[in-house]
Amino acid sequence: RFLDKTKQTLLALGFEEMRGSLLENEFWNMDALFMPQFHPAREIHDVYFIETPTHSKEIPEPYLSNVAAEHEGRAESGSRGWGYLFDKQRTHRLVLRSQGTALSARQLGLQPKIPGKYFSMARCFRYDTVDATHAPDFIQIEGIVLSQAMTLPHLLGMLMIFAREVAQATEVRAVPAYFPFTEPSVEVHMRHPTLGWIELGGSGIFRPEVT
């Protein structure tokens, strides 16, 4: 019921739904999001790798070459990159989708509407020990807003609307955060009546290396 209500809320706010496979290659799940191939969150203790087949088929151009160039620091964005030689074989490695942002990365490659707003309710998988706040699979609500006029105040405004409309929050705050694929990056927190301040999610403006 909660997921249904959330979907209807986002549709009412003008978002279109993104969908995708639970199986994803490292390219869309991580590399296209400018996450370096040596990042610790990409190891077997954090991500579920697929046994058979181990690798996906071809990754379309020019996306593969463009992303490799960004990681190596020789792309048009002018970024210094991560300072290593990008492994074009590893990027085909199949995993269970570990973050809904993989759907946003794919959407950027599908010639999306600009301006446009997209969301997904993505089932994600991470190698976590089950406790009160962790599970090996979970639903992550993901969204992107595309516009040449977007600024950080627009992002903060969207986060406040999301917190009020979806989480029914009355006290909300945005705090600085870090993600490999956004800069600036912020987390949105809400005050829970018994738990105190809790994190609702992370967000930010995509870095030039991603877009």
Side-chain angles (χ1 to χ4, degrees):
R1 287 197 301 269
F2 172 73
L3 294 177
D4 243 6
K5 183 178 184 300
T6 301
K7 180 180 291 191
Q8 293 306 314
T9 299
L10 291 169
L11 290 171
L13 290 171
F15 284 79
E16 299 179 44
E17 188 171 9
M18 303 180 289
R19 291 176 175 268
S21 172
L22 298 180
L23 292 184
E24 189 56 275
N25 53 41
E26 287 199 32
F27 180 82
W28 294 111
N29 195 70
M30 299 158 182
D31 293 326
L33 293 167
F34 200 54
M35 182 181 290
Q37 292 182 321
F38 54 79
H39 196 284
R42 302 179 61 154
E43 299 304 322
I44 195 166
H45 54 73
D46 278 321
V47 179
Y48 288 103
F49 289 91
I50 306 304
E51 186 174 295
T52 305
T54 58
H55 290 71
S56 65
K57 296 180 181 179
E58 290 186 10
I59 295 169
E61 292 289 1
Y63 306 124
L64 178 56
S65 295
N66 288 348
V67 168
E70 289 292 353
H71 281 244
E72 294 174 2
R74 51 179 180 81
E76 293 182 5
S77 73
S79 170
R80 292 180 297 174
W82 292 111
Y84 73 101
L85 186 64
F86 186 82
D87 187 341
K88 289 189 176 181
Q89 180 63 23
R90 172 172 178 167
T91 199
H92 289 78
R93 189 79 163 89
L94 285 171
V95 298
L96 286 176
R97 181 174 60 211
S98 68
Q99 55 182 344
T101 321
L103 291 171
S104 290
R106 280 190 174 272
Q107 190 67 35
L108 290 177
L110 293 175
Q111 303 300 315
K113 299 174 187 174
I114 301 176
K117 294 188 286 189
Y118 299 89
F119 81 96
S120 66
M121 310 193 80
R123 188 179 180 192
C124 301
F125 302 83
R126 294 182 188 172
Y127 194 80
D128 273 329
T129 301
V130 177
D131 60 25
T133 59
H134 295 84
D137 71 303
F138 57 94
I139 301 292
Q140 186 177 68
I141 301 171
E142 164 77 7
I144 51 173
V145 178
L146 306 172
S147 169
Q148 294 184 357
M150 288 295 291
T151 64
L152 182 61
H154 289 111
L155 171 64
L156 296 176
M158 290 298 301
L159 294 175
M160 298 305 114
I161 291 173
F162 181 86
R164 288 196 299 267
E165 297 295 327
V166 175
Q168 302 298 303
T170 55
E171 290 186 73
V172 187
R173 68 184 181 188
V175 300
Y178 168 78
F179 305 105
F181 39 88
T182 56
E183 178 60 39
S185 304
V186 297
E187 289 179 351
V188 58
H189 294 183
M190 65 169 281
R191 188 188 290 276
H192 189 277
T194 56
L195 300 176
W197 287 101
I198 61 173
E199 179 193 345
L200 283 181
S203 67
I205 296 178
F206 274 139
R207 295 173 61 131
E209 294 92 337
V210 176
T211 55

